[in-house]
Amino acid sequence: MTHQAINSDDYQIQLSNKVELLKSMLAPFAVSEIDVYESPKTHYRMRAEFRVWHDGDDLFYIMFNPDTREKIRVDSFPVANELINDLMPAILDYVRGRPNLRKKLFQVEFLTTTTNEALVSLIYHRQLDETWQREALELKHDLSKFGKIEIVGRAKKQKLCLEKDWVVETLIIDEKPYRFQQVENSFTQPNAAVNQHMVSWALNATKGSHGDLLELYCGNGNFSLPLAQNFNRVLATEISKTSVASARYNCELNDIHNVTVVRMSAEEFSAVMAGDRESRRANEAEIESFDCRTVLVDPPRAGLDADTVELVRNYDSIVYISCNPETLVENLESLQSTHNVSRAALFDQFPYTHHMEAGVILKRKT
């Protein structure tokens, strides 16, 4: 999340620079053209977090310059969507004169959706009591004029959930709506508009596929659910307990019944597939019954470890979504002995920063 002021007039320049950089990084793999998916120039980020600074009778949001640790006052945040910008001043105005809500309020976190839902987490450096809970309910009612608002209070070893700690996002993928539970403190794609492009791109790239799909790092089913229509079955793995529960919930929410979600890390799954270990969860999922010919990976910034690279090499088609093109290139250097890059894309998830989200489709060499 950038702390710097943005100028939307600079958007196309920064995007062009990213396109040229990604092209140069992928050039060794015979990639000359890439699909480019722009972000909205402002109000594109669906989540944000701010420290709360107390200054006498006043309080306001701040961010820190990561290089200098300089405090930067934030009264509005054009990077974030409109709902976050509406809620930011409303929350401070409400709690400013209410000691039970204001006392030792340390941070406010926002998770929002395209359908005007928001989860607001109020984080404190003190324990919370019934009085806080009662006044937080009144705050929740006051904020309802902006949309469907949920509030969670947090302190050390304490979490008070007024109603629920999640929202439901609706994404339009290839003109079809998909609903996704998004839980506080679990991973979700920050830029909903670009995420819709990204999933639609993967959906289009896998049309006409045969057999089943293996997905590693499936999260809450962001790719699994829409792509399920292109395959007989989907075997999806994820290490986060919360994300696994959400992925299963989202399958039911969207009436999708050909997706099996297994709680396993990519490293553990690779070891099982290599015959180096046994897994009760793998056995219960009957993973040997799947006929996976395509694999989709969306790893963290560190990319794929060596064992997982060897695992994905066994599949005819690889869909690789990367939030770090540097580790993507490292993995492609290993995979190029067996696969060719047939298609590539840049998804501008993080405008006005140096971060890039990329996608490549690899096909087994004949």
Side-chain angles (χ1 to χ4, degrees), residues 12-31:
Q12 290 299 331
I13 296 173
Q14 65 91 37
L15 178 61
S16 297
N17 291 338
K18 289 180 180 178
V19 171
E20 293 308 311
L21 177 57
L22 185 60
K23 281 184 177 180
S24 68
M25 296 176 74
L26 296 180
F29 310 102
V31 176

Side-chain angles (χ1 to χ4, degrees), residues 25 63 170 278:
M25 296 176 74
M63 299 176 70
T170 300
E278 289 289 323

Side-chain angles (χ1 to χ4, degrees), residues 61 74-77 82-96 110 143 146:
Y61 300 109
V74 182
D75 294 320
S76 63
F77 197 54
E82 288 89 344
L83 180 55
I84 291 177
N85 280 274
D86 289 339
L87 291 171
M88 286 172 62
I91 291 170
L92 292 188
D93 289 345
Y94 191 93
V95 307
R96 187 174 282 111
F110 300 90
L143 297 177
F146 296 108

Side-chain angles (χ1 to χ4, degrees), residues 65-265:
N65 183 317
D67 298 321
T68 66
R69 300 306 295 167
E70 172 194 5
K71 296 190 297 290
I72 302 170
R73 179 167 176 160
V74 182
D75 294 320
S76 63
F77 197 54
V79 165
N81 75 342
E82 288 89 344
L83 180 55
I84 291 177
N85 280 274
D86 289 339
L87 291 171
M88 286 172 62
I91 291 170
L92 292 188
D93 289 345
Y94 191 93
V95 307
R96 187 174 282 111
R98 293 172 171 82
N100 285 318
L101 293 176
R102 171 177 176 155
K103 184 180 178 182
K104 295 190 177 181
L105 175 61
F106 171 72
Q107 184 162 302
V108 180
E109 299 177 355
F110 300 90
L111 172 63
T112 60
T113 73
T114 59
T115 51
N116 232 38
E117 293 188 29
L119 174 64
V120 179
S121 300
L122 304 177
I123 302 172
Y124 290 82
H125 278 168
R126 67 177 178 91
Q127 293 298 289
L128 306 177
D129 55 19
E130 291 183 1
T131 302
W132 178 89
Q133 197 162 1
R134 183 172 59 253
E135 294 195 12
L137 280 169
E138 294 171 357
L139 169 61
K140 181 178 186 297
H141 175 73
D142 185 74
L143 297 177
S144 65
K145 59 180 174 285
F146 296 108
K148 186 176 181 181
I149 313 300
E150 304 294 341
I151 294 180
V152 169
R154 283 189 174 274
K156 187 176 182 180
K157 296 182 179 179
Q158 185 184 30
K159 176 180 177 180
L160 293 181
C161 184
L162 300 188
E163 184 176 343
K164 60 185 183 181
D165 63 350
W166 49 273
V167 293
V168 174
E169 174 65 292
T170 300
L171 300 178
I172 307 301
I173 309 298
D174 200 22
E175 300 183 350
K176 179 179 178 181
Y178 291 85
R179 302 176 71 203
F180 294 91
Q181 179 193 62
Q182 297 183 343
V183 180
E184 184 205 27
N185 284 342
S186 64
F187 176 77
T188 56
Q189 297 289 346
N191 189 323
V194 173
N195 184 38
Q196 290 177 128
H197 289 309
M198 188 165 64
V199 178
S200 296
W201 180 84
L203 178 66
N204 178 268
T206 56
K207 284 183 178 178
S209 297
H210 300 286
D212 302 327
L213 170 68
L214 168 65
E215 182 180 358
L216 308 179
Y217 315 95
C218 76
N220 69 349
N222 184 60
F223 287 97
S224 318
L225 274 60
L227 267 63
Q229 62 188 286
N230 287 347
F231 298 90
N232 296 331
R233 292 191 294 168
V234 177
L235 175 61
T237 71
E238 169 60 46
I239 186 58
S240 165
K241 183 178 181 180
T242 300
S243 293
V244 166
S246 286
R248 291 170 176 166
Y249 180 90
N250 292 335
C251 287
E252 295 298 321
L253 192 61
N254 291 276
D255 197 28
I256 294 174
H257 303 289
N258 65 331
V259 177
T260 299
V261 183
V262 185
R263 189 183 172 206
M264 296 177 71
S265 68

Side-chain angles (χ1 to χ4, degrees), residues 282-306:
N283 292 336
E284 290 175 350
E286 300 179 340
I287 64 173
E288 72 283 349
S289 70
F290 284 81
D291 177 27
C292 296
R293 306 179 198 178
T294 301
V295 60
L296 188 151
V297 294
D298 184 7
R301 291 187 58 79
L304 303 178
D305 66 279

